[in-house]
Amino acid sequence: MTGQRADARRNYARILAVAEREVAAHGADASLERIARIAGVGSATVRRHFPGRRALLEAVFGERIAALGARAAELAEAADARAALLEWLAALTSYAASARGMADALVQDGLTDPEQVEDCSAKLATAVEPLVRRAAAAGALAADVTAADLLTLVTGIALATEHHPDPAAEARRLLDLVVAGVSPAR
Amino acid sequence: MTGQRADARRNYARILAVAEREVAAHGADASLERIARIAGVGSATVRRHFPGRRALLEAVFGERIAALGARAAELAEAADARAALLEWLAALTSYAASARGMADALVQDGLTDPEQVEDCSAKLATAVEPLVRRAAAAGALAADVTAADLLTLVTGIALATEHHPDPAAEARRLLDLVVAGVSPAR
DNA sequence: TACGATACGGAGGGCCCCACCACTTAGCAA
DNA sequence: TTGCTAAGTGGTGGGGCCCTCCGTATCGTA
């Protein structure tokens, strides 16, 4: 990062700022060309800084992912392990459902090789992992439920509710269903 | 349908056959142009028969959706209301997870106006509706769970598992989780 | 057989992604 | 301050896709 030239850093920042707006407006398949146009740079410059759409999405959502990671770290010390996990899941759901394109970003990088540490879903998985373990240890979670399972479920909910009139509300509703279990027998 | 010219019907059938293969191979965003090329017709002909990608997907998945509807009708008379519903959900999940593009087709037509009877998800919703009602009446389902909720969940699962190594297995696993509820307390 | 309606498909415009390449400029060293 | 050089830039062209228009071929019928 520091090794970059000043203009490169400036362009990076500008492109990223525009990309955030565009992705918010048009979802994961925002036009890279359009982003370049708005940012006032050539399209080649965009793809130099972000080779491929994935890279751009990861950059766009990077901060928020980091914030979710921090939240997880906080919650790892909460008294109630189950409540902590559920709160984090709710936070993730809320964000994934409202931030257009994030769910796509998550689902797309499922393929990437495990080396890819920049991977969004890998970061999130690492973040929840402790919460999941603690909840499982406390007997508040079925033993065979993994962090990846939970992320996949939340991602799926976000994807499926994306076209609803009020995605966030609907996603929240479904998350509650999933958590409570469909069956009323408890 | 009968009012169509013979060549029109022939082309329709050819296009649909090619479309099935292409969608299976490339998912919901298969190239319409490519389909036209393979079918040996002009691209305009494809969009004459199927105005928009949605229409084509609905045609592609129409038969299968009908089959699921029939299965629902059978299960509506099963002895165990809860088991019947779960079995149908499993069937839907299995198909949605293995048939590339179907989940997209379902999620996309959430927007369409209620008039649109050709709507895939509407058809499925109508099909499960009785199963859901019966299960709810038997106390085997939380009262506020709707047919649409269940469809959305299954769709989400299918979407989120699409890029996994074994989508069908993973989807099935997640469906079980959802059904059982994440929490072990029962 | 001849005619009218119906269906066809090619051409062209717009947008997009991607790769290449000649030019500019920032930053360093003399 | 002045040059030098590598890093960075953006324009351009190729390929694809989606979509619309419109002249033409074909079907079904009188």
Side-chain angles (χ1 to χ4, degrees):
Chain A
M1 280 295 173
T2 324
Q4 278 187 136
R5 259 167 49 172
D7 53 348
R9 251 167 308 168
R10 200 169 22 206
N11 275 338
Y12 181 94
R14 274 173 42 169
I15 292 169
L16 188 55
V18 172
E20 282 169 2
R21 289 204 305 271
E22 283 299 301
V23 169
H26 301 102
D29 44 1
S31 160
L32 301 185
E33 197 121 344
R34 187 179 147 87
I35 290 175
R37 225 179 304 135
I38 297 179
V41 301
S43 71
T45 299
V46 169
R47 53 188 327 90
R48 195 185 334 275
H49 285 291
F50 307 99
R53 164 171 277 100
R54 277 269 311 284
L56 189 133
L57 290 178
E58 273 164 11
V60 165
F61 296 119
E63 288 182 21
R64 200 62 189 226
I65 300 254
L68 284 167
R71 187 91 188 90
E74 286 174 30
L75 288 167
E77 299 170 13
D80 186 339
R82 176 182 160 90
L85 176 59
L86 295 187
E87 182 172 338
W88 191 86
L89 287 179
L92 172 62
T93 303
S94 156
Y95 182 57
S98 61
R100 300 196 52 186
M102 175 161 173
D104 298 78
L106 288 177
V107 79
Q108 276 179 32
D109 60 18
L111 304 163
T112 185
D113 60 321
E115 311 296 326
Q116 191 73 6
V117 188
E118 290 304 309
D119 187 298
C120 282
S121 55
K123 277 183 184 165
L124 288 178
T126 309
V128 239
E129 185 58 42
L131 296 182
V132 171
R133 259 206 310 273
R134 223 162 62 100
L141 199 65
D144 58 344
V145 176
T146 69
D149 288 338
L150 295 176
L151 288 184
T152 305
L153 279 175
V154 170
T155 305
I157 288 176
L159 285 175
T161 55
E162 190 153 296
H163 296 291
H164 279 244
D166 184 352
E170 183 71 12
R172 177 54 202 246
R173 200 174 123 64
L174 291 180
L175 178 65
D176 287 346
L177 278 187
V178 168
V179 166
V182 168
S183 162
R186 41 168 307 118
Chain B
M1 280 296 173
T2 323
Q4 277 188 136
R5 254 166 52 173
D7 54 348
R9 251 169 305 167
R10 199 171 23 210
N11 276 337
Y12 180 94
R14 274 169 48 163
I15 292 169
L16 187 54
V18 173
E20 281 169 3
R21 290 204 304 271
E22 283 299 299
V23 169
H26 301 102
D29 45 0
S31 161
L32 302 186
E33 198 122 343
R34 187 180 148 86
I35 290 174
R37 225 178 305 134
I38 297 178
V41 300
S43 71
T45 299
V46 169
R47 55 189 327 89
R48 187 164 313 112
H49 285 291
F50 307 98
R53 180 179 305 281
R54 278 269 311 284
L56 189 134
L57 290 178
E58 274 164 10
V60 165
F61 295 119
E63 288 181 22
R64 200 63 189 224
I65 302 257
L68 284 167
R71 186 94 188 88
E74 285 174 30
L75 287 167
E77 299 170 13
D80 186 339
R82 175 181 160 90
L85 175 61
L86 295 186
E87 182 173 337
W88 191 86
L89 286 179
L92 172 63
T93 303
S94 157
Y95 182 58
S98 60
R100 298 197 54 185
M102 176 162 173
D104 298 78
L106 288 179
V107 80
Q108 277 179 32
D109 61 17
L111 304 164
T112 185
D113 60 321
E115 311 298 326
Q116 190 76 5
V117 187
E118 289 305 308
D119 186 299
C120 283
S121 56
K123 279 183 186 165
L124 288 178
T126 308
V128 239
E129 186 59 42
L131 296 182
V132 171
R133 257 206 311 273
R134 223 160 62 100
L141 199 65
D144 59 343
V145 177
T146 70
D149 288 338
L150 296 176
L151 287 184
T152 305
L153 279 175
V154 170
T155 304
I157 288 176
L159 284 175
T161 55
E162 191 154 298
H163 297 291
H164 279 246
D166 184 354
E170 184 71 12
R172 177 56 202 246
R173 202 175 121 65
L174 291 180
L175 177 65
D176 288 345
L177 279 186
V178 168
V179 166
V182 170
S183 163
R186 43 168 303 119

